[in-house]
Amino acid sequence: KDKKDGVQLIPLLRMDQGPKDAIVESGIVCAQCLKVSPKHRCSRCKSLTYCDRECQSSHWKQHKKVCRPNKLKPRADDYGRQGRKRYCEENGAAIMFIRDHPYPDTIEGVQSLIGQRTPSFYTEAIHKEFAKVYEYVSKNTFKVYGRELGILLYEHGETNQNGNGMDLLHSSLHILLKVLTSHPLIAQKDRDQCLIAESMARQTLDFAWDGIGNWTC
């Protein structure tokens, strides 16, 4: 595995990717200098992230070959056979992790896994929606179901939680990511796949919820 500035790069997302490309496309590091937790995202494709304008300008000659508007949003053919095939190729690690580590069947199972009680809004109905969205992290229609969940949660918070729709959205994202990262993992491969699945879920929900309330990606 490659290393840069003490950062351990995660393994392949696609068969045609190297470790460096995989972690760059996850948004965890700056696409130019590979420093962790970059602050700025490419405003055109909203895919790669950078430390600052200088890093983005330095990387543009390479990035402009693949940069296209709204890269993470569904394309017209995302729901057909070719779309599914492409999605599997691009997100194989996340797909394998979700397949092997399903969402708990009950609320009690969620609480046991994450080691804390779920908030009062987390009812049986909400639990079923979370389970559905978690499963669809590994499918090419994840963005659609993720947005449906976001709208449901926001409206529930506005109506039943004293207008706290945004607080409920933030709490919900925390729960979903907490479930993803709380599975007991021993093998390094499983831990690497978990990191990829978490990054993918966080990034895609961020875009799926863009515009709900004052949520901005």
Side-chain angles (χ1 to χ4, degrees), residues 11 35 38 46 148:
K35 289 184 178 179
K46 300 186 183 298
E148 289 180 355

Side-chain angles (χ1 to χ4, degrees), residues 138-151:
S138 64
K139 299 183 179 175
N140 53 331
T141 49
F142 174 52
K143 302 177 189 72
V144 176
Y145 287 94
R147 183 153 188 89
E148 289 180 355
L149 175 65
I151 293 173

Side-chain angles (χ1 to χ4, degrees), residues 129-162:
E129 294 299 320
F130 267 72
K132 180 171 68 173
V133 168
Y134 181 93
E135 176 188 354
Y136 274 91
V137 168
S138 64
K139 299 183 179 175
N140 53 331
T141 49
F142 174 52
K143 302 177 189 72
V144 176
Y145 287 94
R147 183 153 188 89
E148 289 180 355
L149 175 65
I151 293 173
L152 172 69
L153 292 169
Y154 180 76
E155 291 179 346
H156 180 80
E158 291 294 294
T159 304
N160 303 309
Q161 302 286 325
N162 299 319

